[in-house]
């Protein structure tokens, strides 16, 4: 029987006894120090703003090795999934832990199709927004509003209710994202078509109109399918941690995903693809790359190279490599090989990866660096990029939420703090205050 490995915390102040903490190991990746007894035994908390050294949960869904640039969904390398599977296959894998066989895939695809329409009353919510509202503002509201439509299946302790909520979200979020776009451009909403597959349907709802036929391009459909696979899940990132924390109070999954969408919107997170494309537009020309690299390195300048750097990846984000390949494919298919922004992005990447500031800090392109260029080439407007990211991450959020709620040991998340505010003092009547 292997001896339990442990850490012994000893204190420099002599009168405190050392405390022992067990070391826990997963199937792979870093071990953790189980400090759950720390406060009870010492009256102290750990201090880790930004959670750089904190494991918030156990999980079997996604594994990242940031040093090696490895990303596995349920043990399968992202490179293999992106090339050999479609997005709904990956959704099935993330939800169930195994890839579907042919029968299971057909059944899953049909189930998702049957949930792709939204309640017609949901369309009324859009009328309350300005036409030029940011799609993520609409997404936060409308996805959260789904909570008002499924009272018959909101008992989160019931696995069948959690399952149907997962199907509803995976199926309806693309419909809602397309509705955001149609509302923004003043075109009528397009209903989903069951004759189409998941991504074909999304293109149809985004770009078809009642006035005529819409011709799908299989290369573009495959490209977007791959983009969705690359964004589907990513361990305990900020928005997933938001969904878990919201879910830990027992909130319904629709409300939890609305919170996740709100967090993803930030430019340091999912908003980076929109910010990256805007940045490339701002740089404008290869001749100005040096000026912006200089700004990115200047501590007094808030400008950062959007699409570069990552909290976990201290090597190339494997998704960025696949995204760059997809970029080539799409631009070649569309005869845009000389796309100005793509050439600018390639040049910017080359300059940054030869610059000591970036290499010494292990700042490499992340998933957002190329995704904006591909999406723009697919005809998706910049303002919709993060909504597409939310569409893809819906399955990751709901799989992680379900994993937490299914764990009988889960409890409400409630971090503590290092308080450095005013100590206890008495109120002075206003007449005596200076
Ligand atoms: C996503 O967590 C996930 O998994 C997220 C995600 C997912 O799939 O869910 O992968 C999706 O959010 C990708 C990241 C998208 N964000 C961006 O591209 C925005 C630009 N990147 C940075 O804001 C930053 O790199 C973060 C937010 C991504 C990571 O921030 P960290 O880990 O807190 O890194 P840091 O800020 O501590 O940086 C370390 C150093 C600092 O310099 P020093 O203080 O050491 O001198 O690197 C510098 C930073 O100033 N730095 C950058 C930089 N990113 C970090 N300098 C210039 N440009 C950058 N992009």
């Amino acid at each position: 029987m292997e001896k339990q490995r442990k850490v012994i915390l000893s204190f420099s102040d002599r009168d405190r006894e050392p405390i022992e903490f067990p070391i826990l190991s997963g199937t792979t990746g870093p071990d953790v120090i189980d400090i759950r007894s720390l406060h009870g035994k010492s009256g102290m908390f750990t201090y880790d703003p930004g959670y750089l050294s904190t494991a918030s949960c156990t999980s079997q869904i996604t594994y990242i090795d940031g040093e090696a640039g490895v990303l596995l969904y349920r043990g399968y390398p992202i490179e293999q999934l992106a090339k050999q599977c479609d997005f709904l296959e990956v959704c099935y894998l993330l939800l169930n832990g195994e890839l579907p066989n042919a029968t299971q895939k057909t059944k899953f695809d049909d189930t998702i199709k049957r949930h792709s329409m939204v309640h017609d009353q949901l369309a009324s919510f859009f009328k309350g927004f300005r036409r030029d509202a940011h799609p993520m503002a609409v997404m936060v509201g409308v996805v959260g509003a789904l909570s008002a439509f499924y009272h018959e299946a909101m008992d989160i302790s019931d696995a069948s209710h959690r399952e149907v909520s997962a199907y509803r979200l995976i199926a309806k979020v693309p419909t809602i994202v397309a509705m955001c776009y149609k509302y923004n451009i003043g075109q009528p909403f397009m209903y989903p078509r069951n004759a189409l597959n998941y991504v074909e349907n999304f293109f149809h709802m985004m770009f078809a109109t009642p006035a005529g036929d819409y011709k799908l391009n299989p290369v573009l459909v495959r490209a977007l399918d791959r983009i969705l696979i690359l964004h589907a899940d990513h361990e305990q990132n900020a928005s997933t941690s938001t969904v878990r924390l919201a879910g830990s109070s027992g909130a319904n999954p629709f409300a939890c995903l609305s919170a996740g969408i709100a967090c993803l919107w930030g430019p340091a997170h999912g908003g980076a693809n929109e910010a990256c494309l805007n940045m490339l537009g701002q740089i404008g020309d290869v001749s100005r790359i040096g000026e912006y690299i200089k700004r990115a390195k200047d501590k007094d300048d808030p400008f950062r190279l959007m699409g570069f750097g990552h909290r976990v990846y201290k090597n190339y984000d494997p998704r960025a490599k696949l995204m760059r390949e997809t970029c080539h494919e799409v631009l070649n298919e569309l005869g845009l090989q000389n796309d100005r922004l793509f050439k600018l992005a390639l040049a910017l990447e080359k300059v940054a990866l030869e610059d000591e500031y970036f290499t010494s800090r292990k700042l490499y392109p992340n998933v957002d660096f190329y995704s904006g260029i591909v999406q723009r080439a697919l005809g998706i407007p910049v303002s919709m990029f993060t909504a597409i990211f939310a569409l893809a991450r819906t399955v990751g959020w709901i799989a992680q939420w379900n994993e937490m709620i299914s764990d009988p040991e889960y409890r409400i998340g409630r971090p503590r703090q290092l308080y450095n505010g005013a100590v206890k003092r008495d109120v002075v009547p206003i007449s005596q205050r200076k």
Side-chain angles (χ1 to χ4, degrees):
M1 169 72 169
E2 198 182 305
K3 206 161 164 313
Q4 167 69 54
R5 293 163 58 223
K6 56 194 171 193
V7 157
I8 298 169
L9 178 65
S10 60
F11 298 87
S12 50
D13 30 347
R14 294 263 173 258
D15 60 342
R16 297 184 80 120
E17 287 302 307
I19 305 174
E20 291 189 357
F21 299 100
I23 293 175
L24 307 178
S25 300
T27 45
T28 185
D31 292 340
V32 299
I33 302 169
D34 182 351
I35 56 156
R36 284 176 286 188
S37 63
L38 173 70
H39 185 243
K41 289 180 179 171
S42 71
M44 289 196 272
F45 303 130
T46 58
Y47 183 63
D48 186 19
Y51 311 119
L52 286 103
S53 302
T54 295
S56 59
C57 61
T58 59
S59 181
Q60 300 178 0
I61 299 174
T62 293
Y63 175 70
I64 304 172
D65 179 337
E67 295 304 323
V70 168
L71 170 57
L72 309 177
Y73 289 166
R74 298 283 190 178
Y76 293 103
I78 192 69
E79 295 84 352
Q80 294 182 30
L81 293 170
K83 294 195 168 115
Q84 299 178 45
C85 299
D86 71 19
F87 178 63
L88 282 190
E89 251 174 300
V90 171
C91 287
Y92 185 99
L93 170 68
L94 289 169
L95 289 173
N96 300 297
E98 297 298 337
L99 283 166
N101 61 34
T103 308
Q104 291 163 331
K105 173 74 167 56
T106 304
K107 184 169 183 285
F108 186 69
D109 287 3
D110 290 346
T111 300
I112 297 299
K113 279 181 181 176
R114 276 187 293 107
H115 286 284
S116 55
M117 282 177 70
V118 294
H119 191 294
D120 238 24
Q121 285 294 107
L122 202 81
S124 312
F125 285 101
F126 285 79
K127 292 191 175 50
F129 290 100
R130 288 169 43 140
R131 289 279 182 178
D132 61 353
H134 193 288
M136 289 299 274
V138 181
M139 287 279 290
V140 168
V142 176
V143 172
L146 287 172
S147 313
F149 288 82
Y150 302 109
H151 297 299
E152 86 293 345
M154 294 273 261
D155 173 1
I156 61 170
S157 65
D158 181 330
S160 67
H161 288 192
R162 296 201 299 273
E163 183 183 55
V164 72
S165 296
Y167 296 157
R168 281 173 167 148
L169 281 159
I170 292 168
K172 294 180 195 304
V173 167
T175 307
I176 292 169
V177 169
M179 290 170 82
C180 290
Y181 176 58
K182 287 302 200 187
Y183 183 73
N184 180 256
I185 61 174
Q187 285 188 358
F189 298 143
M190 294 300 289
Y191 287 107
R193 303 263 303 276
N194 288 347
L196 301 175
N197 74 30
Y198 190 82
V199 174
E200 290 171 343
N201 222 348
F202 179 65
F203 269 106
H204 165 76
M205 293 188 286
M206 282 281 288
F207 300 119
T209 70
D213 296 335
Y214 172 70
K215 190 169 174 351
L216 291 157
N217 178 326
V219 173
L220 306 192
V221 169
R222 181 67 192 126
L224 183 57
D225 189 283
R226 181 179 290 185
I227 289 172
L228 300 183
I229 290 173
L230 297 179
H231 287 82
D233 193 52
H234 214 240
E235 202 213 64
Q236 305 312 319
N237 60 85
S239 54
T240 297
S241 299
T242 301
V243 170
R244 278 182 174 258
L245 195 55
S248 71
S249 73
N252 72 75
F254 306 99
C256 293
L257 260 74
S258 175
I261 291 168
C263 177
L264 186 74
W265 192 1
H269 190 12
N273 51 22
E274 176 178 355
C276 181
L277 207 83
N278 293 336
M279 174 192 74
L280 290 171
Q282 197 186 348
I283 295 173
D285 185 82
V286 174
S287 61
R288 297 186 64 198
I289 286 178
E291 173 196 335
Y292 282 85
I293 293 279
K294 191 161 167 282
R295 284 190 57 192
K297 291 154 66 170
D298 177 357
K299 292 296 162 215
D300 298 327
D301 186 331
F303 175 80
R304 282 196 166 178
L305 220 45
M306 301 317 281
F308 257 76
H310 198 278
R311 170 59 58 77
V312 177
Y313 288 121
K314 300 310 171 191
N315 195 320
Y316 216 98
D317 182 337
R319 303 168 298 174
K321 279 185 194 145
L322 290 158
M323 197 61 81
R324 188 172 54 187
E325 275 172 37
T326 304
C327 224
H328 273 299
E329 285 167 22
V330 169
L331 294 174
N332 288 341
E333 169 68 16
L334 297 173
L336 298 173
Q337 294 85 333
N338 294 320
D339 178 83
R340 188 176 57 83
L341 287 189
F342 182 57
K343 288 179 122 24
L344 182 58
L346 288 172
L348 177 60
E349 177 187 0
K350 186 172 180 312
V351 169
L353 294 185
E354 288 164 3
D355 185 301
E356 188 273 338
Y357 173 91
F358 292 90
T359 52
S360 64
R361 290 169 176 78
K362 300 186 175 181
L363 301 174
Y364 295 91
N366 58 51
V367 67
D368 292 300
F369 189 63
Y370 286 101
S371 71
I373 301 167
V374 190
Q375 291 186 66
R376 185 175 66 98
L378 294 176
I380 295 165
V382 178
S383 62
M384 292 296 296
F385 288 176
T386 312
I388 304 279
F389 195 150
L391 189 171
R393 188 55 56 89
T394 289
V395 63
W397 287 331
I398 200 72
Q400 298 267 355
W401 169 83
N402 188 51
E403 181 178 65
M404 175 183 74
I405 301 295
S406 313
D407 176 352
E409 279 190 17
Y410 97 89
R411 31 195 330 196
I412 190 164
R414 205 303 187 188
R416 302 302 302 274
Q417 63 181 10
L418 173 65
Y419 177 71
N420 55 13
V423 292
K424 185 172 174 294
R425 54 182 173 164
D426 297 323
V427 172
V428 171
I430 191 162
S431 58
Q432 294 169 31
R433 285 175 223 155
K434 291 182 184 60

